[in-house]
Amino acid sequence: MSVLVTGGLGYIGSHTCVELINAGVDVVVVDNLYNCKKSSYDRIKALVGRDFKLYICDIRDKQGLNQIFEEEKIDSVIHFAGLKAVGESVEKPLEYFDNNVNGTLVLLDVMRNHGCKKIVFSSSATVYGLNNVSPLTEDMEVGGVTNPYGRTKYMIECILKDLYTSDNEWSICLLRYFNPIGAHKSGTMGEDPNGIPNNLMPYITQVAIGKREQLTVYGNDYDTHDGTGVRDYIHVVDLALGHIKAVEKVESENGLFIYNLGTGIGYSVLDVVKAFEKASNVTIPYKIGARRAGDIATCYSSTKKAFDELGWKAERGIEEMCEDSWRWQTQNPNGYPD
Ligand code: NAD
Ligand code: WQD
């Protein structure tokens, strides 16, 4: 089986490539290096002990994508490539719609022209919006999103559903990720955000290593056990393994499948701070700040459907997530080398 992985040098893509290659899948990566370093490619190769094909190309470049499909025999696609910063998407909506939505349209068109009709798409729990109550199940209404990034994910889900309705030779799997954290056990691969991290775990690890003074906890007056926001953090390697099951699913039957990838367990911001302090033996100074616009109190997954239909469940707990994030940060204080 040969899988084209778009955005395969990014945080989730790189971990997924390692698991795919270790499972015997032939991997071809396309990435425009917009939000990753090329050295992530070397780290993947070092971990799996073999070479694989990388195309440095933008997915909006139709000619470039066509060439990849002509040169390689691609059975299915895992589509990670996209921009993902919620705040930035409010500032730059056109760039987000162009990169995420237009990029996906170009990719789907090229796939169809080459008779490749199997795709696994990186969606997000953000599509559940503000109005659903956790645990979130796949049949809940989606679309009440609050920002352009989330809207791109919702729009792409709609496009993929319409595509399947138009032609049920397609096999499409929408994976709604909850909050991926953690890193590869080796400490050689992990999340490498540009500038000030938007997300909780990279912020905590940067405070722990002395790059940032203190964490600001965005609000402690939510209706949760300690007042801080509750999320479903999932180890990136568990997430990567979920993609193997999803690719097997689209390879084995046609259809439109939707799965949450989460643990089903919610931890508050302060729970994560405590778990990280225990794992790292470092105290994390923090202050309580205002709520962040668009945040909700609680968001965690129902895990039943992914387990029943894919036989997948997350195995790694919060301790391991914190230990692995910290190992990556300490071994690579400045992220991937240039
Ligand atoms: P990432 O930024 O680390 O990886 C994305 C990769 O795609 C990067 O290597 C980037 O260079 C590449 N890319 C972006 N636009 C491209 C384009 N036009 N052509 C080719 N390559 C392009 O992000 P990630 O955290 O690994 O996320 C992967 C996917 O999962 C994204 O679609 C994201 O929206 C989705 N997702 C992420 C999270 C999360 O919290 N990390 C949660 C839910 C969903
Ligand atoms: C987690 C919790 C914050 C930073 C985002 C996207 C979502 C998905 C995953 C892509 C919240 C709190 C955070 C900080 C804090 N991405 N926090 N101080 O907001 O659940 O989800 O990433 O699809 O679409 O919205 O993740 O890590 O930003 O926040 O107190 O400095 O930590 O308020 O309760 P979030 P996060």
Side-chain angles (χ1 to χ4, degrees):
M1 178 171 41
S2 168
V3 177
L4 178 68
V5 183
T6 78
L9 298 192
Y11 173 46
I12 305 171
S14 56
H15 289 81
T16 303
C17 285
V18 167
E19 300 307 324
L20 285 166
I21 296 168
N22 284 341
V25 174
D26 289 325
V27 165
V28 177
V29 165
V30 55
D31 201 301
N32 66 358
L33 305 187
Y34 180 82
N35 198 36
C36 64
K37 301 267 175 62
K38 179 120 183 276
S39 53
S40 136
Y41 180 47
D42 304 320
R43 297 278 174 98
I44 304 171
K45 287 193 289 187
L47 276 178
V48 298
R50 51 159 290 205
D51 204 358
F52 63 98
K53 211 63 173 285
L54 165 67
Y55 290 87
I56 297 171
C57 173
D58 194 296
I59 56 161
R60 291 164 295 180
D61 171 2
K62 192 174 246 182
Q63 234 182 324
L65 270 192
N66 262 320
Q67 204 175 327
I68 299 173
F69 275 85
E70 268 146 38
E71 281 173 20
E72 309 289 338
K73 189 195 144 304
I74 306 292
D75 297 314
S76 52
V77 174
I78 303 181
H79 179 29
F80 292 108
L83 305 179
K84 64 164 181 177
V86 171
E88 186 186 59
S89 78
V90 177
E91 310 294 322
K92 300 180 174 174
L94 296 184
E95 282 78 2
Y96 270 69
F97 287 113
D98 180 39
N99 196 84
N100 294 7
V101 180
N102 183 32
T104 302
L105 288 173
V106 172
L107 172 68
L108 293 170
D109 190 39
V110 172
M111 287 175 67
R112 180 179 58 178
N113 292 341
H114 289 84
C116 175
K117 295 185 177 181
K118 299 176 200 304
I119 186 168
V120 176
F121 172 62
S122 299
S123 190
S124 168
T126 196
V127 300
Y128 289 111
L130 299 176
N131 301 325
N132 291 304
V133 177
S134 294
L136 298 166
T137 53
E138 290 84 345
D139 56 359
M140 284 176 171
E141 193 181 341
V142 293
V145 279
T146 54
N147 58 75
Y149 164 73
R151 254 184 293 282
T152 68
K153 292 290 166 189
Y154 173 64
M155 288 167 76
I156 297 166
E157 285 204 0
C158 294
I159 290 166
L160 288 166
K161 287 174 187 170
D162 286 343
L163 179 61
Y164 179 71
T165 304
S166 76
D167 175 0
N168 55 27
E169 280 181 10
W170 279 86
S171 188
I172 296 171
C173 186
L174 312 179
L175 295 179
R176 295 179 180 153
Y177 312 155
F178 282 70
N179 291 58
I181 60 171
H184 193 270
K185 197 55 79 195
S186 62
T188 62
M189 290 190 352
E191 186 171 9
D192 184 14
N194 267 328
I196 303 171
N198 300 303
N199 297 112
L200 179 63
M201 182 53 84
Y203 206 104
I204 290 178
T205 60
Q206 290 198 7
V207 170
I209 206 151
K211 280 186 150 182
R212 319 245 159 234
E213 211 179 308
Q214 64 179 347
L215 172 73
T216 301
V217 176
Y218 297 142
N220 68 348
D221 55 353
Y222 286 104
D223 183 16
T224 62
H225 64 273
D226 62 15
T228 67
V230 166
R231 297 291 182 274
D232 184 337
Y233 297 93
I234 174 167
H235 196 295
V236 67
V237 172
D238 278 324
L239 196 68
L241 292 167
H243 288 75
I244 299 197
K245 299 288 189 184
V247 134
E248 285 167 3
K249 183 79 175 170
V250 297
E251 283 290 337
S252 65
E253 56 184 299
N254 297 349
L256 186 275
F257 310 102
I258 305 178
Y259 301 110
N260 289 336
L261 295 184
T263 63
I265 303 169
Y267 289 103
S268 73
V269 176
L270 295 181
D271 290 336
V272 176
V273 168
K274 276 187 219 120
F276 184 85
E277 289 182 332
K278 192 165 168 233
S280 64
N281 248 323
V282 179
T283 301
I284 304 298
Y286 68 83
K287 64 170 185 204
I288 305 294
R291 289 183 178 194
R292 186 172 64 179
D295 274 359
I296 55 174
T298 300
C299 172
Y300 60 91
S301 170
S302 162
T303 56
K304 187 173 183 321
K305 193 172 177 216
F307 184 66
D308 287 350
E309 296 186 17
L310 295 177
W312 173 88
K313 71 174 169 47
E315 307 280 356
R316 294 157 180 80
I318 192 75
E319 300 76 15
E320 194 170 350
M321 299 182 214
C322 292
E323 277 164 22
D324 293 345
S325 291
W326 182 228
R327 188 179 304 104
W328 154 253
Q329 181 72 75
T330 47
Q331 288 184 19
N332 306 270
N334 298 314
Y336 286 102
D338 283 321

